[in-house]
């Protein structure tokens, strides 16, 4: 959905894909920015998510749920192996 809705965006919101509450609650924020809500695993960032952040040229990434939901490895954009 992100590529169709956002040819580029300076901001992105990152949420865990294992729990629906954070991405759902972040959707209104994303609409107001505007920016894309992207999903990640709690402990590492999938390569497709990292690639989408690069494609968007997002310079500001907000973690929804903080480090309780997404680890510091996700914050550092550590790609899952």
């Amino acid at each position: 959905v992100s590529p169709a809705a956002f040819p580029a965006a300076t901001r992105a919101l990152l949420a865990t894909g294992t729990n629906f509450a954070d991405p759902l609650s972040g959707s209104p924020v994303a609409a107001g920015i505007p920016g894309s809500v992207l999903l990640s695993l709690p402990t590492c960032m999938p390569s497709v998510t990292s690639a989408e952040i690069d494609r968007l040229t997002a310079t500001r990434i907000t973690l929804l749920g903080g480090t309780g939901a997404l680890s510091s490895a996700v914050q550092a954009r550590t790609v899952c192996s």
Side-chain angles (χ1 to χ4, degrees), residues 48-75:
V48 295
T49 301
S50 182
E52 182 60 8
I53 291 169
D54 291 340
R55 186 199 68 77
L56 289 167
T57 64
T59 56
R60 185 170 175 194
I61 302 165
T62 302
L63 300 178
L64 300 174
T67 54
L70 297 168
S71 70
S72 58
V74 174
Q75 183 176 10

Side-chain angles (χ1 to χ4, degrees), residues 9-78:
T10 58
R11 294 192 57 193
L13 295 128
L14 194 59
T16 179
T18 60
N19 184 343
F20 74 92
D22 291 336
L24 182 63
S25 64
S27 297
V29 176
I33 294 174
S36 186
V37 176
L38 303 174
L39 301 178
S40 179
L41 295 171
T43 57
C44 61
M45 184 179 291
S47 60
V48 295
T49 301
S50 182
E52 182 60 8
I53 291 169
D54 291 340
R55 186 199 68 77
L56 289 167
T57 64
T59 56
R60 185 170 175 194
I61 302 165
T62 302
L63 300 178
L64 300 174
T67 54
L70 297 168
S71 70
S72 58
V74 174
Q75 183 176 10
R77 290 187 62 186
T78 304

